[in-house]
Amino acid sequence: MKTSYKLSSALSFVFVIAVLASLISCQKVIDVDLKSTEPRIVIQGSITDQEGPYSVEIHKTVNFNEVNDFPPVSGALVVISDDLEDSEILTETSPGIYTGSSLQGVPGRTYTLSVKVNDQEYKAVSTMPLPVEITDLTIRQSDFGPDKVVDVTFNDILDVDNYYRIIQIINGARQPEIDIYDDEFNNGTEINYTLFTDSEDVDLQKGDSIVVLLRSIDEPTFEFYRTAREALGSSQSPANPNSNLSNGALGYFSAYSVRQDTIIVE
C-alpha cells in the first residue's frame, strides 16, 4: 500500500503561493483562505544538492475581493546558512526574487533561511535528505483508459522516514500535478509509482521525451503539500497549508536532494 497525493493547479482559493522548482522555470499557483485579512508575507524558497543558483521569492497576500496582483516584497535581507556556519546573503535580482551564487547544498546538512522585512524576521529550518536514485522508468498502457502512463521505480532507504516529490516533464513542459509520497507502509522496499496527467492535451506519442525528477524532501515540506491538497479538496472553509516558517509567514523553505532520468516513447 502506498500513500500518495496529487495537487492540481486548476483548483484555486485565495492567497497565492508561487511554488518554485529550482530545476524548472514554471510556477504553480495555490490559493487559500477566503477570509479578508491583513496582508501576510508569502515566502517560497529552496536549496538543493544540484548546482545553483538558488532563489527565494517573497510576496504579500491580497484579499480575495482584490485584484489578483500579489505584490513582490523588495528590500528584504535574505540569508541562507548551514550547520557548519557557512552562509550567504542573497541578492535581489528582480522585484521580490532573491538569488544566491556561492552556497552549495549538501545532503545531510541542515539549512536555515532568515528573511528580515522591515522590523520583522521570519525563519525556517530544513534538513536535506540523502538522494534516492531512480532505478527504472517504463511506459505502459494505463489501467484506466487508452492513454500511456509512466512508471518510476526506486529503492526506498531502510530504517529512515522518507518523503518524496515526483515531477514529470513531457517534451520540456512540466505537468501541472504535484505528486508526493511517503514510505510509511513501504519502508526499505522497492517502490513503483505511476505518474498520470490530468491534461487532456497530453497524449504520449512515439518520440516524446519524458523527464522524471525524484526529489527527496523533509517532513515539513511533505506536510505543506499534504495539507495544501486537503485544503483544495475540502468542502469546509479551507485552511492555509502547514508552513515551517516562523511569525505567521505563509509558504515554506525546503532543502532537498534530487535525481532524474529520461525516457523516450517508442
Side-chain angles (χ1 to χ4, degrees), residues 13-15 33-37 62-70:
F13 294 86
V14 174
F15 99 73
D33 199 349
L34 300 179
K35 297 179 181 179
S36 296
T37 60
V62 295
N63 289 324
F64 84 97
N65 57 350
E66 299 179 26
V67 177
N68 286 347
D69 182 12
F70 300 89

Side-chain angles (χ1 to χ4, degrees), residues 178-253:
I178 294 181
D179 291 272
I180 59 173
Y181 183 95
D182 75 85
D183 69 349
E184 180 180 1
F185 303 107
N186 303 84
N187 189 278
T189 67
E190 181 180 78
I191 294 169
N192 184 270
Y193 189 94
T194 301
L195 291 163
F196 299 91
T197 177
D198 294 334
S199 175
E200 297 180 356
D201 297 328
V202 176
D203 182 15
L204 295 179
Q205 302 292 330
K206 182 177 180 180
D208 285 349
S209 174
I210 302 164
V211 177
V212 174
L213 306 178
L214 178 63
R215 292 182 176 179
S216 296
I217 60 178
D218 63 1
E219 185 176 9
T221 303
F222 178 86
E223 283 299 303
F224 172 85
Y225 287 115
R226 185 187 67 79
T227 53
R229 184 263 181 186
E230 289 182 354
L232 289 170
S234 175
S235 60
Q236 308 298 320
S237 297
N240 294 328
N242 291 349
S243 174
N244 62 346
L245 290 152
S246 66
N247 289 329
L250 303 172
Y252 70 87
F253 169 67

Side-chain angles (χ1 to χ4, degrees), residues 24-25 59 64 109-110 129 141 172 177 181 236:
I24 306 168
S25 60
H59 286 84
F64 84 97
R109 290 186 185 173
T110 298
Q141 197 77 27
E177 300 79 22
Y181 183 95
Q236 308 298 320

